Amino acid sequence: MNKILMVTIFLALASSGGCGNVYSRKDFPKGFSFGAGASAYQWEGAVDEDDNQDNGDITSDGYHKYKEDVQLMVETGLDAYRFSISWSRLIPSKGPVNPKGLQFYKNFIELLVNHGIQPHVTLYHYDHPQYLENEYGGWLNRKSIEDFTDYADVCFREFGNHVKFWTTINEANIYTIGGYSDGLLPPGHCSSRSKCSSGNSSTEPYIVGHNLLLAHASASRLYKQKYKDIQGGSVGFSVFTIGFTPSTSSTNDEIAVQRAKAFIFGWMLGPLTYGDYPDEMKRIVGSRLPVFTEEESALVKGSSDFVGVIHYLAASVTSVTHVKSQRDPGFFTDMGISMKGRKLHWELYIFPRNCFLFCLDKYAIVPWAMEAVLEYIKESYGNPPVYILENGTPMKQNLQDTPRIEFLHAYIGAVLNSITNGSDTRGYFVWSFMDLYELLSGYEYSFGLYFVNFSDPHRKRTPKLSAHWYSAVLKDNTTFLGSQGIAQLQSNFSSPY
């Protein structure tokens, strides 16, 4: 029997940094952007308008309340706002652009710019047009590369005079694993017929990942050839990151960490930087991993002007022996990772259980993980420009969200440390600006700085304690930084809640 290394990942609980360190916005480089974000499917709602064919609901009703939301952004002091365009709203069927959807995004973008807020636009954040799934299977088919490029062309042409930062694909690695290996994310493919009606977990993640990279590279080439000289923007690609550390000093655990990094980071960043997949992946996945032609390799290499980092978690990695089961194929089986861990009174299953990112009322504060991620990207991928496009912590609804403040305070400090140590990190975005429909937890947990009353037909917004704190940071008010400052903030704002 063949034996492979298995990696058991436990969410790291040790806190580092805390809230004792006090920094100022002035400590960050000139031009550094502080922002927050949301996605179209999770924020807009209004699925029955504009001939939109995706399967959302009202959620935060951003489609109708965007003017109010932009005013909240202004009051908070955001430099930038990260959001996505719904491909399904803009081009709801094979044919012409939907004029109502087009006008909505134009109005929203122009309003942001008129208030001095820089739009950071994501072209693809999970909401795939159903007609393309029906026609040829979506991202599993190489036809998707051409259709995505055509969609990107519309966005560049219509919005590019105001948009200078484009992210093509949102956290492509986790989207691909969740959607095509474990069946948790749309379109819900996996090998297990008890969970998924279709899919092949041993091949589809790699096919889709390959097509996503080529679609990104194709759109990036289009922008450089047709728009960049006129519009002066940049095109990037985002990945989900984890701060890995070995659970012991053993050689096996060190090797396991490098393996985890190759699969989680290198799968996407390797081709974007060097034009090919990591050797470790090619050796393990073998013929199931698509091969770049020379032309494709040249197209993908250097196609990302920046790396968008999505970061929430840290993990310690332990190497153990395991017999690979042919009945349990998939990305994590190939990587040799068991994502099950127990600490204290809770249990975390990242995959295949429906708890990814949402099993805890708040995440452990481990800012060293953010620093480790940024250091690894700096050292392994040529120190590209980086934007932290998502970072935050989930909580049950509570306006007094002090744990969220402690989390954000520590991680923003970690970003500053990384910049001091040479990382070319240029922006930080809190996930999320307001409470949203979360894809895996619905409304049970929220990440928002602003509370949204989903029981209210008007979806009233109310600032949480974290909104006041973040606003103070952005306005360079150091009064509420550090442990004593946070306690003072909580005292000052206790009566309204």
Side-chain angles (χ1 to χ4, degrees), residues 50-309:
D50 301 350
D51 297 319
N52 186 27
Q53 300 298 313
D54 58 6
N55 294 316
D57 52 17
I58 300 173
T59 184
S60 308
D61 199 22
Y63 182 88
H64 295 108
K65 297 178 72 68
Y66 73 92
K67 293 180 182 178
E68 175 185 336
D69 290 347
V70 171
Q71 186 57 43
L72 291 178
M73 297 174 203
V74 173
E75 293 173 4
T76 306
L78 298 189
D79 301 322
Y81 186 68
R82 183 230 176 183
F83 64 98
S84 68
I85 290 173
S86 170
W87 189 350
S88 301
R89 189 182 296 281
L90 194 62
I91 311 175
S93 61
K94 203 77 171 179
V97 174
N98 174 19
K100 292 182 180 178
L102 178 66
Q103 194 60 52
F104 165 70
Y105 289 115
K106 281 191 172 182
N107 292 343
F108 180 46
I109 290 169
E110 288 175 8
L111 191 63
L112 287 170
V113 172
N114 289 341
H115 283 85
I117 298 172
Q118 183 76 258
H120 278 243
V121 175
T122 298
L123 292 174
Y124 188 80
H125 195 125
Y126 296 4
D127 45 350
H128 202 74
Q130 188 61 46
Y131 68 90
L132 296 182
E133 290 288 330
N134 297 340
E135 181 181 339
Y136 54 69
W139 287 115
L140 285 166
N141 194 307
R142 289 177 69 95
K143 291 180 181 178
S144 59
I145 299 169
E146 181 180 352
D147 280 331
F148 179 78
T149 306
D150 290 342
Y151 158 62
D153 194 11
V154 171
C155 293
F156 297 152
R157 181 183 72 234
E158 298 293 343
F159 313 126
N161 288 336
H162 293 303
V163 176
K164 304 305 177 189
F165 297 94
W166 299 94
T167 300
T168 52
I169 310 293
N170 178 66
E171 53 185 16
N173 48 356
I174 286 299
Y175 163 70
T176 305
I177 297 165
Y180 294 89
S181 180
D182 294 281
L184 290 182
L185 297 173
H189 285 209
C190 68
S191 290
S192 171
R193 290 299 169 264
S194 63
K195 291 170 51 184
C196 307
S197 60
S198 64
N200 185 331
S201 300
S202 68
T203 58
E204 289 190 359
Y206 303 111
I207 294 169
V208 170
H210 198 73
N211 289 339
L212 288 173
L213 284 165
L214 292 174
H216 155 80
S218 175
S220 177
R221 177 176 61 184
L222 171 73
Y223 187 83
K224 289 179 173 67
Q225 292 176 343
K226 191 174 179 180
Y227 297 102
K228 190 174 181 68
D229 287 345
I230 300 170
Q231 298 177 356
S234 57
V235 177
F237 189 89
S238 84
V239 294
F240 187 93
T241 65
I242 300 173
F244 293 113
T245 185
S247 60
T248 73
S249 59
S250 72
T251 301
N252 284 344
D253 287 352
E254 293 283 356
I255 293 173
V257 166
Q258 297 310 311
R259 185 193 212 136
K261 289 178 178 178
F263 273 75
I264 295 297
F265 291 83
W267 183 20
M268 301 295 167
L269 296 184
L272 293 173
T273 307
Y274 305 111
D276 201 1
Y277 296 114
D279 290 340
E280 185 80 342
M281 284 194 75
K282 291 195 287 186
R283 181 181 66 80
I284 295 169
V285 182
S287 62
R288 290 178 291 117
L289 186 66
V291 177
F292 292 106
T293 66
E294 288 188 14
E295 182 182 357
E296 289 171 344
S297 176
L299 176 67
V300 173
K301 182 179 179 180
S303 62
S304 192
D305 296 324
F306 62 87
V307 173
V309 166

